Amino acid sequence: MHFKLLSACFGAILLSIHTSFGQITENPKVEESSAPYVKIKRVELTDANTIIHLQFVDKSPKQPQFRSQPGFPSLPDSRVPGGLPQTKESQIWLDPETRLYKPGEIDKKYKFIRAENIPTTSKMNVSSGDTVDFVAYFERLTPGIEEFDFYEGRSQGGLQSWNFYGIHIKNPLKKEAAKPGKPVAKAPAPVKKPAAKPALKTPEKPEIAAKKDAGMAVLRGTVYNAKTKEPIAAQISYVDNGDTLQVRSSSGKYRVGLDAGGSYTIRVQARGYYGSSFNFAPGDSSAEALDKDVYLTPLIVGETILLPNIYFETSKYTLLSESFEELNRLVEVMLDNPAIRIRVEGHTDNVGDFDKNLELSRQRAEAVKTYLTEKGINAGRIEAKGYGGTRPITKGSEEERKKNRRVEFVITEL
C-alpha cells in the first residue's frame, strides 16, 4: 500500500512537471528596456497568473548619468549646471497601474495583481550598490502570446519608469485534441458560430478608439544608416508634459510608450550622424501605422545633407522661426564635432530671373551662416554659396519644383 501511494505521488509530481513544461522562461530575451539597472530574470506562467521575477541593482556610483531611479524623485547629476552631488540612498516602488500588452495590440492588456518584496503604495529605501529581487503578478497571458511588453508608465516629472519591450517567452497554444467519444458535444459548435459573427464584426471599425481608451500607444521602429541600411545605436527623445524624455537603443531598435491622445515631435540622434525629427499623433494613426523606421545620414567628408525644415519669407532671405529647431540641430552637430567644416548651399527653382535667383540663394545661405555664428560657431568653419536654379533635384509640376527651393550643407572637412 505504501509503495502504491509513493508511486501515485511520484506520478503526480511527474505529471505536474510535464504540465508546466514550456511555461517557465529563464532570463528571457528583452529587445529594449527603459532602465538598464532593472532586469527580468524569469517569467513563469501558471493557470491563473503571469509571474515576473525582476532584479534591481543600484549602480548610481558607477553610472552617475542615471539621474533618477524608477519611481522616485530625480537625483541631480553633478555634471549638470546647478546640480547637487548625488545622494547615496534612493527609493523604489512598482506602480500598481503597470500592465502587460501584446505588441501592436494595446487593447489586449493584462492587469497587475500584486507584488512581492517591493511596495506599490509606498516607497522602499535602497542604498548604493544594493540588489533587490522582487516579483510581480499579472493576469495570465493568453496561450500563444510569446512576446509581450511590460509597461509601467511614461517617464515624467523627473521619474524613470520601468518599461520592457519585446519580452520573448515560452507560451505555446494549448492543443485540444478532438475526442472521438464525444462527437455529439462538438456538433452544435458550427451551428452557433454564424449567430456569433455579427457580434464579433460590430467593433471592427473602432480600433483607434480602443487604443485611445487604453490611454497608451507604442511607437516602434529601427534607426538605420542611410548609406549602408544597417541598424545603428541611437537616442530617441521627445517632450511629454514639459519633460524631455530619452530612450537609448544600442541595437537601433526602439519602442516608446506615448499618450494615445497626445501629439509629439520625435527626435532621433546618433553619434557621427546628422539627426532627424518627425511629428507623431497616435490618435490619428491606425495600429499598423505605429511603426516608424528612421534613416540617418553619416557625417563624412563630401556628404551633402538636406536641411529639411528651413523656411524664409516669400522671395526674401529672412529666416522664419519655424527654421530654428532644425538650425539648432546643426549647431549641436558642429559643437559636438569641433573639427567639422561645412559649406552651406542655397538653391531656388528655375522660374524667374536667373541673376535674381542666384543672388537670393546666396543671401539665404548667408542667412543660415549668420544664424550659426550667432549661436557660437566660428565663422571660419562655415562657407556659404548660392547656386540659384542651376542644380535642380526634380522637374515636373509646381508641387515637384518646390523641392528645388532648398538649403543643404556639404561636409568639407572632418
Side-chain angles (χ1 to χ4, degrees), residues 116-135:
E116 294 177 356
N117 204 38
I118 191 169
T120 57
T121 57
S122 60
K123 303 176 180 67
M124 180 170 72
N125 293 329
V126 291
S127 300
S128 298
D130 277 359
T131 296
V132 179
D133 293 297
F134 59 99
V135 185

Side-chain angles (χ1 to χ4, degrees), residues 221-359:
T222 304
V223 183
Y224 293 99
N225 179 322
K227 293 293 183 182
T228 65
K229 305 301 185 290
E230 295 179 350
I232 57 174
Q235 175 180 290
I236 295 85
S237 60
Y238 57 98
V239 176
D240 193 349
N241 294 326
D243 296 318
T244 300
L245 309 176
Q246 298 178 345
V247 175
R248 290 182 174 86
S249 169
S250 58
S251 65
K253 293 183 179 180
Y254 73 91
R255 298 191 189 201
V256 292
L258 304 171
D259 187 334
S263 180
Y264 302 88
T265 297
I266 309 297
R267 187 174 180 183
V268 184
Q269 296 172 286
R271 184 170 292 279
Y273 294 81
Y274 187 72
S276 178
S277 64
F278 60 92
N279 295 323
F280 179 70
D284 296 337
S285 306
S286 64
E288 290 75 19
L290 296 181
D291 295 310
K292 176 68 175 179
D293 291 336
V294 181
Y295 293 83
L296 300 184
T297 304
L299 300 174
I300 55 179
V301 173
E303 190 66 35
T304 299
I305 300 173
L306 174 69
L307 293 171
N309 301 304
I310 305 300
Y311 305 99
F312 300 90
E313 290 185 12
T314 305
S315 300
K316 298 182 180 179
Y317 56 89
T318 304
L319 281 164
L320 298 179
S321 59
E322 293 88 340
S323 309
F324 297 164
E325 183 178 350
E326 187 70 43
L327 291 174
N328 290 338
R329 181 178 297 119
L330 179 54
V331 169
E332 289 183 10
V333 168
M334 298 194 73
L335 290 174
D336 291 341
N337 300 270
I340 199 171
R341 292 174 182 267
I342 66 172
R343 181 175 64 250
V344 179
E345 299 181 344
H347 302 270
T348 66
D349 57 28
N350 58 2
V351 177
D353 184 88
F354 179 89
D355 292 329
K356 287 183 178 179
N357 283 341
L358 194 63
E359 178 63 12

